[in-house]
Amino acid sequence: MTTATGLAPQRADELEHLLGALSDPANPTGATAVLAADERAEMLAAGETLLHSYGLNAEFVPPELGGRLERADHLAEVMRALYRRDPALGLGYGAGSLIAGVTLWTAGDERQAEHAAGLLLDGRRIAIAFHELAHGNDMGGTEFAANTAPDGGLRLSGRKEVVTNIGRADAMVVLARTDPRPGPRSHSLVLVDRASADPAHLTDLPRFGTVGMRGVQLGGLRFDELPVPASAVLGPVGSGLETALKALQITRTVLPTMATGILDTGLRIAVGHLTGRRLYGGPATAIPHVRSVLADVFADLLRAEALGAVGARALHLVPCAASVYASAVKFEVSRLLLGAMDRLAELLGAHFYLREGPTALFQKLLRDLAPVGFGHIARAACQMSLLPQLPLLARRTWDTPGAEAPGDLFALSRALPPLRYDRLALHAAGRDPIAGSLPALLDEPWTPAHADLRDAVAADRTALAELAVACRQLSPVDLGVDARPEHYDLVTRYIRLLSRAVCVQVWRHAEPGDFLAGPVWLRAVLHRSAPGPGLPRPLPVQVEERLLTELLDRQDTGRSFGLTGRALAV
């Protein structure tokens, strides 16, 4: 059976080829060099040099400004080539500038956008300075101030902490309070040019020690009445929170999606080790429990990538609903990745934390993966952002005929329209075309061989109707940050149903002959995500064996375990 190689842009293969074989000890960007840099708590210098010559920053710049950011799903696939070998390189060289970039493309004027694009295309960095340790994900609580000076300019004062590349960035986007009064119009985004900033008003703060991402420059900066012109504000004064919440829908979607490359390599290390390890008279992969876990992890990886891919396509096709899907992707993909890596660590036993030998890269990947659950925005904050939207989604979409999504949303190899930053919305206003497509699925033709899949869809439609009843009964006091745990459980139920609907639709829209067009992976995904108390039940034997056959074939032929199944430099 073929794999969906058409889902990946050619430049992802080009970057993979340039980075070379991960297992080659002489490769300056291979696992040996990656681990050595991590031991020194340094960025991989050879990797940064290679990425500069490749022009990776062009992936973060829209085509109208000279870059290659045409498709969010292709961006994620290109970045997987980095995350699968060194997540610190992926974040430290690229993803930090991506986060800053999308705020500029969303709110910056022509001059600001061209200046930022010029910096990135020249291989320089732009930091996104939102974070203050005292406030975490509560951006509305930001105390960093931009006060108006007598000359009409601004004076920046306060601290920004645990910010990627803030010490070596040529520019930074800073979230600052421009109005001391509380409210949604109290903050603005300010573009600070570090090269022209008066160093007498800036003090670099020491890096906080971290368990993972040790090579990433997570620094801090203290501003002491730093003067900047009023023209440095992105968009209207007071629009900072609105801009951030819109723009970060893009990065909430693509950052967890590109991090699936970590699990791809973690699974590859585990399969390689367990295939060669002999226990009880045979290879460890002959042990039923081992086989079951490997198949489960493979299924979870496919579900994570399917949800991420559709979420990325939604940014182009249904940006009005991206506020819902971005939070769902961040919450669920990070959960799947963290859980799967933990299960692989259990299989590897003592070998999962060894810092030498053929499994040594696993412990670094495990440590570097941890921020996927809290970096940029925490999973709990995603639940908090989704809960207030559920009642309106339930009333306007979940059981409304004609509310289904366009087919191109799930046909992963089809072309996409340009990414329209101006169409992103703070609130979906009750629009949820993915869940809205679930009722219509039952009206489509189903073959007798897929009767079990149709039954699963029917059960999910009933579950969605029951969820809608519960969500319609929520009162405004049930939707705030102090909502009861059972109300947040409604968000979890919704995301589970959403991810299942995504996988069914991806299967139905897959190209004939592709692995994704076969029902095996879908049966595994639906089984793994079925509701019920306790842990998911083991996969049916026939499904497990066929999934393992695909997994081991990809291992032997050096192909990725994700949706694309593309060739890797192993």
Side-chain angles (χ1 to χ4, degrees), residues 259-284:
T260 61
I262 299 175
L263 179 56
D264 193 298
T265 298
L267 181 55
R268 192 168 306 277
I269 291 170
V271 172
H273 173 75
L274 294 166
T275 301
R277 184 166 175 76
R278 296 193 64 81
L279 293 171
Y280 311 110

Side-chain angles (χ1 to χ4, degrees), residues 130-135 138-147 156-160 175-180 186-187:
F130 284 4
H131 198 68
E132 297 174 24
L133 280 176
H135 301 288
D138 179 17
M139 290 192 294
T142 294
E143 297 178 43
F144 185 98
N147 298 314
L156 305 183
S157 297
R159 294 166 63 99
K160 292 295 182 182
L175 179 66
R177 180 176 288 278
T178 46
D179 189 331
S186 58
H187 291 77

Side-chain angles (χ1 to χ4, degrees), residues 272-302:
H273 173 75
L274 294 166
T275 301
R277 184 166 175 76
R278 296 193 64 81
L279 293 171
Y280 311 110
T285 48
I287 299 173
H289 174 67
V290 171
R291 297 175 69 81
S292 180
V293 172
L294 293 177
D296 289 348
V297 169
F298 186 23
D300 287 354
L301 175 57
L302 291 168

Side-chain angles (χ1 to χ4, degrees), residues 11-377:
R11 60 186 186 273
D13 294 328
E14 294 170 354
L15 180 57
E16 184 76 34
H17 176 75
L18 287 173
L19 289 166
L22 187 58
S23 59
D24 181 2
N27 181 5
T29 54
T32 300
V34 168
L35 287 166
D38 181 67
E39 291 292 328
R40 300 189 302 269
E42 296 175 357
M43 285 291 290
L44 182 62
E48 292 204 299
T49 300
L50 183 149
L51 296 176
H52 181 77
S53 63
Y54 172 75
L56 183 72
N57 279 357
E59 300 292 337
F60 315 139
V61 178
E64 61 269 23
L65 292 171
R68 302 192 291 261
L69 181 51
E70 295 179 331
R71 290 178 52 161
D73 56 344
H74 283 181
L75 166 64
E77 187 64 29
V78 170
M79 292 298 290
R80 281 192 187 108
L82 294 182
Y83 273 82
R84 83 172 197 89
R85 70 180 56 222
D86 186 4
L89 187 60
L91 173 62
Y93 188 92
S97 292
L98 168 66
I99 302 172
V102 294
T103 62
L104 281 152
W105 320 142
T106 301
D109 59 28
E110 183 177 355
R111 176 189 58 83
Q112 292 165 333
E114 289 181 350
H115 174 62
L119 289 176
L120 291 176
L121 294 175
D122 195 37
R124 305 195 182 184
R125 300 172 181 85
I126 305 177
I128 186 77
F130 284 4
H131 198 68
E132 297 174 24
L133 280 176
H135 301 288
N137 291 134
D138 179 17
M139 290 192 294
T142 294
E143 297 178 43
F144 185 98
N147 298 314
T148 303
D151 62 2
L154 299 173
R155 300 292 183 267
L156 305 183
S157 297
R159 294 166 63 99
K160 292 295 182 182
E161 300 155 310
V162 197
V163 177
T164 301
N165 289 331
I166 197 169
R168 61 175 185 165
D170 290 271
M172 63 193 80
V173 176
V174 180
L175 179 66
R177 180 176 288 278
T178 46
D179 189 331
R181 296 170 296 181
R185 312 299 292 180
S186 58
H187 291 77
S188 302
L189 293 174
V190 183
L191 178 61
V192 179
D193 188 70
R194 183 74 186 263
S196 61
D198 186 347
H201 297 272
L202 293 172
T203 303
D204 285 291
L205 303 174
R207 186 192 193 281
F208 283 86
T210 57
V211 173
M213 296 289 188
R214 295 176 60 205
V216 176
Q217 297 193 22
L218 293 172
L221 201 59
R222 187 175 72 237
F223 294 69
D224 299 298
E225 295 290 318
L226 176 72
V228 297
S231 60
V233 176
L234 302 180
V237 173
S239 65
L241 293 177
E242 178 180 346
T243 295
L245 291 173
K246 288 181 179 179
L248 298 185
Q249 292 170 20
I250 299 172
T251 49
R252 286 182 189 180
T253 303
V254 298
L255 290 179
T257 301
M258 63 182 65
T260 61
I262 299 175
L263 179 56
D264 193 298
T265 298
L267 181 55
R268 192 168 306 277
I269 291 170
V271 172
H273 173 75
L274 294 166
T275 301
R277 184 166 175 76
R278 296 193 64 81
L279 293 171
Y280 311 110
T285 48
I287 299 173
H289 174 67
V290 171
R291 297 175 69 81
S292 180
V293 172
L294 293 177
D296 289 348
V297 169
F298 186 23
D300 287 354
L301 175 57
L302 291 168
R303 177 154 64 112
E305 290 205 1
L307 182 58
V310 171
R313 294 180 68 84
L315 294 167
H316 296 260
L317 294 167
V318 286
C320 58
S323 62
V324 171
Y325 301 146
S327 291
V329 169
K330 168 69 179 190
F331 179 88
E332 187 69 356
V333 171
S334 60
R335 183 189 70 83
L336 290 168
L337 297 182
L338 291 165
M341 283 292 282
D342 283 345
R343 292 195 300 277
L344 292 177
E346 292 174 358
L347 286 188
L348 289 171
H351 293 270
F352 95 83
Y353 65 84
L354 294 180
R355 290 159 66 177
E356 298 177 356
T359 63
L361 185 60
F362 189 93
Q363 53 82 29
K364 171 177 159 53
L365 294 174
L366 187 64
R367 288 185 284 109
D368 287 353
L369 177 62
V372 76
F374 59 81
H376 188 29
I377 184 173

